[in-house]
Amino acid sequence: MPIQILMPALSPTMEEGTLAKWLVKEGDTVNSGDLIAEIETDKATMEFEAVDEGVVGKILVAEGSEGVKVNEVIAVLLEDGESADDIGETSAPSAPAAPAAAGTEAAPAGGSDTPTTPAPATPAKDGNRVFASPLARRIAADKGIDLAALSGSGPHGRIVKADVLNAGATAPAPAAAPAPAASLPSSPSADIVAKSYQDREYEEIALDGMRKTIAARLSEAKQTIPHFYLRRDIKLDALLKFRSQINKQLEARGVKLSVNDFIIKAVANALQEVPEANAVWAGDRVLQMKASDVAVAVAIEGGLFTPVLQDADSKSLSALSTQMKDLATRARDRKLAPHEYQGGSFAVSNLGMFGIDNFDAIVNPPHAGILAVGAGTKKAVVDENGDVTVATIMSVTMSVDHRVIDGAVGANLLKAIVDNLENPVAMLA
């Protein structure tokens, strides 16, 4: 039985993708681990590896095809003794199945979707024959494993390498299915909107995968997350003075700290000081995190990424600065791997460099909050002695998911962030 290669889910939000380039052609022999294609997801272009081995019998999706649905059959591999006559009518399976090839292991989708664990497929059998990849058969023979006793996770229940290697391991219990979402009012259809502007000249711009994902996820976030907002003004003069001093010391190492680096560090430390706020919403429970993994919004052409700085509380300012510059550069080139923009419990979005004084950001699920940062501007303030002086003030707004963080906890978290930024030397202690 020929092996179907399915369009994989290479990013947590991917529902469809573009088959950017085939790296093999019909008649080529491929082995497990060989690169066979480049897939363009809603986030990046990623390489796609074969899991099974065989001969490329038929390519069903042409190079450059857009809008290829996840789990759609894109090619067929032939095993030993099979020919093109064995392919027959090929179509996508009626239910999602594990891909026959994979570039990067797909992580659970972020956001308010609760990941579920699919039940293992029943191995496809024809009489006494058990369908398994050649590599799976060899490993099973070496280990003395009875293939007939295994459940396959490949297309149509085919047993693949991972099934044999995991034989005997205890399978995790399937996660509870998420409760059905409440019905929400839909937006006007494209035809209705276009009709309203039929007497006006306009250019129609098709949505790419990233923009569709942003629209869907943020609409869902705004409609389903009970946001509340906390606002504070922060005096930056001590931070700016300290930053100037430390940058002179770091100049020889080629490191230049930005105000945003200090903000990331301040948030990371504050999450340790108020640990109940260092949490994520997981549908029917809250996961309280140990380390401070801080996501940072990075604007790119056509959308944005939120790369995650893991263990930000335990890293130096110079290490955070170097890592953030690298992540931002690769985000703009769409070269981030999924694990680099998944996760985190809290986010930072800084529009101060665009001259924005203040704004309210939307919580990016499953995060519990996001800090919206405005520009630092000189303003007249009244000091502790009652005198009017000039100080550099930065306005911030913290958007909070009330399901995870209550008002008092949120206020304590924001106070800790403010204290860290107004006393920057203490962050190095």
Side-chain angles (χ1 to χ4, degrees), residues 54 62 273 287 319 333 371 405 407:
E273 296 165 38
L287 307 182
D333 293 336
L371 188 73
I405 298 177

Side-chain angles (χ1 to χ4, degrees), residues 289-326:
M289 314 308 293
K290 298 298 183 184
S292 296
D293 298 341
V294 181
V296 182
V298 175
I300 68 169
E301 184 177 354
L304 59 84
F305 273 99
T306 51
V308 178
L309 293 155
Q310 294 186 339
D311 303 301
D313 56 297
S314 62
K315 292 177 179 175
S316 67
L317 280 162
S318 58
L320 286 174
S321 180
T322 300
Q323 185 182 5
M324 188 64 234
K325 287 182 175 65
D326 171 63

Side-chain angles (χ1 to χ4, degrees), residues 86-117:
D86 297 315
I87 296 175
E89 190 71 21
T90 304
S91 61
S94 57
T104 303
E105 182 178 352
S112 57
D113 296 332
T114 304
T116 58
T117 304

Side-chain angles (χ1 to χ4, degrees), residues 38 52 92 114 144 186 196 204 209 236 250 279 330 333 337 340 347 354 410:
E38 293 180 357
D52 288 301
T114 304
S186 58
S196 301
E204 186 171 294
L236 285 185
L250 295 172
R330 290 190 292 113
D333 293 336
E340 293 177 306
F354 297 103

